[in-house]
Amino acid sequence: MRHTLSILVANRFGVLTRIAELFSGRGYNIDTLNVGPTHDESVSRMTIVVKGDDQVLDQVTKQLNKLIDVLAVQDFRDGEYIDRELVLVKVATSNKSRAELMQICDIFRAKIVDVEPKNMTIEVTGDESKISKFIFLMQDFGILDLSRTGKIALPRI
């Protein structure tokens, strides 16, 4: 089962390393990891997506709560949160394919952020499903490069 964890931590040196070591020590591979400051500069939010069973993840959550720099841990369940990802994708283009590519961008509300004679760089935000579908469609044009942020999330409540 996939879990999305939101962890509020003190914005200090070494916190990310200690948390990543906790996961790797338990045999968890982190699918995505996103870290950034909150509205309070002394606090950062880590959004971590991992696969694993509920029992082991409960143990990891308890261990996280014991760390001094961890302020709060929340395991999001379906419907309890809002999530988004960002992807930048560089796609090969030609005069013939450019109009079709722009049409797909309109459908996905994507932004063309750079245009070169033989490629375009496109920015897309959305949930994991939307991003995956967009990337799938871009494969027909030829993906030259891609950077994906991973999930960020906030509770609905």
Side-chain angles (χ1 to χ4, degrees):
M1 180 175 182
R2 286 186 85 189
H3 294 268
T4 301
L5 297 176
S6 176
I7 307 168
L8 292 176
V9 297
N11 192 0
R12 293 191 191 135
F13 176 78
V15 174
L16 173 60
T17 302
R18 284 190 291 283
I19 290 175
E21 285 173 350
L22 183 69
F23 280 89
S24 67
R26 301 288 183 276
Y28 272 105
N29 183 42
I30 296 174
D31 285 346
T32 67
L33 169 67
N34 197 303
V35 183
T38 64
H39 61 285
D40 178 351
E41 290 182 11
S42 66
V43 177
S44 289
R45 178 179 307 274
M46 299 178 72
T47 306
I48 300 175
V49 178
V50 294
K51 291 178 189 163
D53 63 38
D54 291 341
Q55 288 180 337
V56 178
L57 195 67
D58 285 343
Q59 290 176 343
V60 170
T61 301
K62 288 176 185 174
Q63 293 295 315
L64 284 168
N65 279 315
K66 290 180 183 178
L67 295 176
I68 293 171
D69 292 323
V70 173
L71 308 174
V73 179
Q74 188 172 8
D75 182 4
F76 290 133
R77 307 287 179 193
D78 288 338
E80 291 182 353
Y81 64 97
I82 301 162
D83 68 337
R84 291 291 179 265
E85 286 190 53
L86 167 72
V87 67
L88 289 174
V89 60
K90 186 182 289 188
V91 181
T93 60
S94 65
N95 290 337
K96 296 176 185 176
S97 65
R98 198 163 305 217
E100 182 182 358
L101 188 57
M102 292 172 73
Q103 204 170 29
I104 293 171
C105 287
D106 284 344
I107 292 167
F108 280 85
R109 295 185 199 163
K111 296 178 186 175
I112 298 170
V113 293
D114 188 41
V115 178
E116 296 292 329
K118 295 186 179 184
N119 64 66
M120 282 186 185
T121 303
I122 303 162
E123 171 188 322
V124 184
T125 58
D127 62 20
E128 187 176 7
S129 174
K130 176 182 175 180
I131 298 298
S132 295
K133 288 174 186 171
F134 185 80
I135 291 170
F136 176 77
L137 290 174
M138 292 299 105
Q139 290 174 348
D140 289 341
F141 294 95
I143 295 175
L144 303 174
D145 205 354
L146 184 138
S147 182
R148 191 170 179 172
T149 62
K151 189 183 289 191
I152 58 170
L154 285 175
R156 286 191 180 271
I157 304 170

